Coordinates of all heavy atoms in Angstrom, one line a residue:
F326 N 16.4 29.4 34.7 CA 17.7 29.0 34.2 C 18.7 30.2 34.5 O 19.8 29.9 35.0 CB 17.7 28.7 32.7 CG 19.0 28.2 32.2 CD1 19.5 27.0 32.6 CD2 19.7 28.9 31.3 CE1 20.8 26.5 32.1 CE2 20.9 28.5 30.8 CZ 21.5 27.3 31.2
Q327 N 18.3 31.4 34.1 CA 19.1 32.5 34.4 C 19.3 32.8 35.9 O 20.4 33.2 36.3 CB 18.6 33.8 33.7 CG 18.5 33.7 32.2 CD 19.9 33.5 31.6 OE1 21.0 34.0 32.1 NE2 20.0 32.8 30.5
A328 N 18.3 32.5 36.7 CA 18.4 32.7 38.1 C 19.4 31.7 38.7 O 20.2 31.9 39.6 CB 17.1 32.5 38.8
H329 N 19.3 30.5 38.1 CA 20.3 29.4 38.5 C 21.7 29.9 38.2 O 22.7 29.7 39.0 CB 20.0 28.1 37.8 CG 21.0 27.1 37.9 ND1 21.1 26.2 39.0 CD2 22.1 26.7 37.1 CE1 22.1 25.4 38.8 NE2 22.7 25.7 37.7
I330 N 21.9 30.5 37.0 CA 23.3 31.0 36.6 C 23.8 32.0 37.6 O 24.9 32.0 38.1 CB 23.3 31.4 35.2 CG1 23.1 30.2 34.2 CG2 24.6 32.1 34.8 CD1 23.0 30.6 32.8
R331 N 22.8 33.0 37.8 CA 23.2 34.1 38.7 C 23.6 33.6 40.1 O 24.5 34.1 40.7 CB 22.1 35.1 38.8 CG 21.9 36.0 37.5 CD 21.0 37.1 37.7 NE 19.6 36.7 38.1 CZ 18.6 36.4 37.3 NH1 18.9 36.5 36.0 NH2 17.5 36.1 37.8
K332 N 22.8 32.7 40.6 CA 23.1 32.1 42.0 C 24.5 31.6 42.0 O 25.2 31.8 43.0 CB 22.0 31.1 42.4 CG 22.4 30.4 43.6 CD 21.4 29.3 43.9 CE 21.9 28.4 45.1 NZ 21.0 27.3 45.4
Y333 N 24.8 30.8 41.1 CA 26.1 30.1 41.2 C 27.3 31.0 40.7 O 28.4 30.7 41.1 CB 26.1 28.8 40.4 CG 25.3 27.7 41.2 CD1 24.0 27.4 41.0 CD2 26.0 27.1 42.2 CE1 23.3 26.6 41.8 CE2 25.3 26.1 43.0 CZ 24.0 25.9 42.8 OH 23.3 25.0 43.6
Q334 N 27.0 32.1 40.1 CA 28.0 33.1 39.9 C 28.3 33.7 41.2 O 29.5 34.0 41.6 CB 27.5 34.1 38.9 CG 27.5 33.7 37.5 CD 26.9 34.7 36.5 OE1 26.2 35.6 36.9 NE2 27.3 34.6 35.2
I335 N 27.2 34.0 42.0 CA 27.5 34.5 43.4 C 28.2 33.5 44.2 O 29.2 33.9 45.0 CB 26.1 34.8 44.1 CG1 25.4 36.0 43.3 CG2 26.3 35.2 45.5 CD1 24.0 36.2 43.8
V336 N 27.9 32.3 44.2 CA 28.6 31.2 44.9 C 30.0 31.2 44.6 O 30.9 31.1 45.5 CB 27.9 29.8 44.7 CG1 28.8 28.7 45.3 CG2 26.5 29.8 45.3
E337 N 30.4 31.2 43.2 CA 31.7 31.2 42.8 C 32.5 32.4 43.3 O 33.6 32.3 43.7 CB 31.8 31.1 41.3 CG 31.3 29.8 40.7 CD 31.2 29.7 39.2 OE1 31.5 30.8 38.6 OE2 31.0 28.7 38.6
R338 N 31.8 33.6 43.2 CA 32.5 34.8 43.7 C 32.8 34.7 45.2 O 33.9 35.0 45.7 CB 31.7 36.0 43.4 CG 31.7 36.4 42.0 CD 31.2 37.8 41.7 NE 29.9 38.0 42.2 CZ 28.8 37.9 41.4 NH1 28.9 37.6 40.2 NH2 27.6 38.1 42.0
L339 N 31.8 34.3 46.0 CA 32.0 34.2 47.4 C 33.0 33.1 47.8 O 33.9 33.3 48.7 CB 30.7 33.9 48.1 CG 29.6 35.0 48.0 CD1 28.3 34.4 48.6 CD2 30.0 36.2 48.8
Q340 N 33.0 32.0 47.1 CA 34.0 31.0 47.3 C 35.4 31.4 46.9 O 36.4 31.2 47.6 CB 33.6 29.7 46.5 CG 32.5 29.0 47.1 CD 32.1 27.7 46.4 OE1 32.4 27.6 45.2 NE2 31.4 26.8 47.0
A341 N 35.5 32.2 45.9 CA 36.8 32.8 45.5 C 37.3 33.8 46.6 O 38.5 33.8 46.9 CB 36.6 33.6 44.1
V342 N 36.4 34.6 47.1 CA 36.8 35.5 48.2 C 37.3 34.7 49.4 O 38.3 34.9 50.0 CB 35.7 36.4 48.6 CG1 36.0 37.2 49.9 CG2 35.3 37.4 47.5
Q343 N 36.5 33.6 49.8 CA 36.9 32.8 50.9 C 38.3 32.1 50.7 O 39.1 32.0 51.5 CB 35.9 31.7 51.1 CG 34.5 32.1 51.7 CD 33.5 31.1 51.9 OE1 33.6 30.0 51.3 NE2 32.6 31.3 52.8
Q344 N 38.5 31.7 49.4 CA 39.8 31.0 49.1 C 40.9 32.0 49.2 O 42.0 31.7 49.7 CB 39.7 30.4 47.7 CG 38.8 29.2 47.6 CD 38.6 28.7 46.2 OE1 39.2 29.3 45.2 NE2 37.9 27.6 46.0
R345 N 40.7 33.2 48.7 CA 41.7 34.3 48.9 C 42.0 34.6 50.3 O 43.1 34.8 50.7 CB 41.3 35.5 48.1 CG 41.4 35.4 46.6 CD 41.3 36.8 45.9 NE 40.1 37.5 46.2 CZ 39.0 37.4 45.4 NH1 38.9 36.6 44.4 NH2 37.9 38.2 45.7
Q346 N 40.9 34.7 51.1 CA 41.1 35.0 52.5 C 41.8 33.9 53.2 O 42.7 34.1 54.1 CB 39.7 35.2 53.1 CG 39.0 36.5 52.7 CD 37.6 36.6 53.3 OE1 37.0 35.6 53.7 NE2 37.1 37.9 53.3
Q347 N 41.5 32.6 52.8 CA 42.1 31.5 53.4 C 43.6 31.5 53.1 O 44.5 31.2 53.9 CB 41.5 30.2 53.0 CG 42.1 28.9 53.7 CD 41.4 27.7 53.2 OE1 40.5 27.7 52.3 NE2 41.7 26.5 53.8
K348 N 43.9 31.7 51.8 CA 45.3 31.8 51.3 C 46.1 32.9 52.1 O 47.2 32.7 52.4 CB 45.4 32.0 49.8 CG 44.9 30.7 49.0 CD 45.1 31.0 47.6 CE 44.6 29.7 46.8 NZ 44.7 29.9 45.3
A349 N 45.4 34.1 52.2 CA 46.0 35.2 52.9 C 46.3 34.8 54.4 O 47.4 35.1 54.9 CB 45.1 36.4 52.9
R350 N 45.3 34.1 55.0 CA 45.6 33.7 56.4 C 46.7 32.7 56.5 O 47.6 32.8 57.4 CB 44.3 33.1 57.0 CG 43.2 34.1 57.3 CD 42.1 33.5 58.1 NE 41.5 32.3 57.5 CZ 40.4 32.5 56.7 NH1 39.8 33.7 56.6 NH2 39.8 31.5 56.1
Q351 N 46.7 31.8 55.5 CA 47.8 30.8 55.6 C 49.1 31.5 55.3 O 50.1 31.1 56.0 CB 47.5 29.7 54.5 CG 46.4 28.8 54.8 CD 46.0 27.8 53.6 OE1 46.5 28.1 52.5 NE2 45.3 26.8 54.0
A352 N 49.2 32.4 54.4 CA 50.4 33.1 54.1 C 50.9 33.9 55.3 O 52.1 34.0 55.6 CB 50.3 34.0 52.8
A353 N 49.9 34.6 56.0 CA 50.2 35.4 57.1 C 50.7 34.5 58.2 O 51.7 34.9 58.9 CB 49.0 36.2 57.6
E354 N 50.1 33.3 58.4 CA 50.5 32.4 59.5 C 51.9 31.9 59.1 O 52.8 31.8 60.0 CB 49.5 31.3 59.6 CG 49.9 30.3 60.7 CD 48.9 29.2 60.9 OE1 47.9 29.2 60.2 OE2 49.0 28.4 61.8
Q355 N 52.2 31.5 57.9 CA 53.5 31.0 57.5 C 54.5 32.1 57.7 O 55.7 31.9 58.2 CB 53.5 30.5 56.1 CG 52.7 29.3 55.9 CD 52.9 28.7 54.5 OE1 53.5 29.3 53.6 NE2 52.2 27.6 54.2
E356 N 54.2 33.4 57.3 CA 55.1 34.5 57.5 C 55.4 34.7 59.0 O 56.5 34.9 59.4 CB 54.5 35.7 56.9 CG 55.4 37.0 57.0 CD 54.8 38.2 56.3 OE1 53.7 38.0 55.7 OE2 55.4 39.3 56.4
H357 N 54.3 34.6 59.8 CA 54.5 34.8 61.3 C 55.4 33.7 61.9 O 56.2 33.9 62.6 CB 53.1 34.8 61.9 CG 53.1 35.1 63.3 ND1 53.7 36.4 63.8 CD2 52.7 34.5 64.5 CE1 53.6 36.4 65.1 NE2 53.0 35.3 65.6
V358 N 55.1 32.4 61.4 CA 55.9 31.3 61.9 C 57.4 31.5 61.5 O 58.3 31.2 62.2 CB 55.3 30.0 61.4 CG1 56.2 28.8 61.7 CG2 53.9 29.7 62.0
A359 N 57.5 32.0 60.2 CA 58.9 32.2 59.7 C 59.6 33.2 60.5 O 60.8 33.1 60.8 CB 58.8 32.6 58.2
A360 N 58.8 34.3 60.9 CA 59.4 35.4 61.7 C 59.8 34.8 63.1 O 60.9 35.2 63.6 CB 58.4 36.5 61.9
I361 N 59.0 34.0 63.7 CA 59.3 33.4 65.0 C 60.6 32.5 64.9 O 61.4 32.5 65.7 CB 58.1 32.6 65.6 CG1 57.0 33.6 65.9 CG2 58.5 31.8 66.8 CD1 55.8 32.9 66.3
E362 N 60.6 31.7 63.8 CA 61.8 30.8 63.6 C 63.0 31.7 63.4 O 64.0 31.3 64.0 CB 61.5 30.0 62.3 CG 62.7 29.2 61.8 CD 63.1 28.1 62.8 OE1 62.3 27.8 63.7 OE2 64.2 27.5 62.6
A363 N 62.9 32.8 62.7 CA 64.1 33.6 62.5 C 64.5 34.3 63.8 O 65.7 34.4 64.2 CB 63.8 34.7 61.5
L364 N 63.5 34.6 64.7 CA 63.8 35.2 66.0 C 64.5 34.1 66.9 O 65.5 34.5 67.6 CB 62.5 35.6 66.7 CG 62.6 36.0 68.2 CD1 63.4 37.3 68.2 CD2 61.2 36.3 68.8
L365 N 64.0 32.9 66.9 CA 64.7 31.9 67.7 C 66.1 31.6 67.2 O 67.0 31.4 68.0 CB 63.8 30.6 67.6 CG 62.4 30.6 68.1 CD1 61.7 29.3 67.8 CD2 62.4 30.9 69.6
Q366 N 66.3 31.7 65.9 CA 67.7 31.5 65.4 C 68.6 32.7 65.8 O 69.8 32.4 66.1 CB 67.6 31.4 63.8 CG 66.9 30.2 63.3 CD 67.6 28.9 63.6 OE1 68.9 28.8 63.8 NE2 66.9 27.8 63.8
R367 N 68.1 33.9 65.8 CA 68.9 35.0 66.2 C 69.2 34.9 67.7 O 70.4 35.2 68.1 CB 68.2 36.3 65.9 CG 68.0 36.7 64.4 CD 67.6 38.1 64.2 NE 66.5 38.6 65.0 CZ 65.2 38.5 64.6 NH1 65.0 37.9 63.4 NH2 64.3 39.0 65.4
Q368 N 68.2 34.6 68.4 CA 68.5 34.5 69.9 C 69.4 33.4 70.2 O 70.4 33.5 71.1 CB 67.1 34.1 70.6 CG 66.2 35.3 70.6 CD 64.8 34.9 71.2 OE1 64.4 33.8 71.2 NE2 64.0 35.9 71.5
K369 N 69.3 32.2 69.5 CA 70.3 31.1 69.7 C 71.7 31.6 69.3 O 72.7 31.2 70.0 CB 69.8 29.9 68.9 CG 70.7 28.7 69.0 CD 70.2 27.6 68.2 CE 71.1 26.4 68.3 NZ 70.6 25.2 67.5

Side-chain angles (χ1 to χ4, degrees):
F326 183 68
Q327 293 301 325
H329 170 84
I330 292 175
R331 288 192 297 272
K332 170 186 172 180
Y333 283 95
Q334 286 175 340
I335 293 172
V336 171
E337 288 176 355
R338 288 197 297 268
L339 292 175
Q340 289 179 337
V342 170
Q343 287 182 338
Q344 290 173 357
R345 289 196 298 270
Q346 291 174 341
Q347 183 179 6
K348 288 181 180 178
R350 286 193 298 269
Q351 291 175 342
E354 184 175 1
Q355 290 185 359
E356 183 178 353
H357 188 56
V358 171
I361 293 174
E362 172 67 12
L364 174 65
L365 297 176
Q366 293 295 331
R367 293 198 305 275
Q368 290 172 342
K369 181 180 179 180

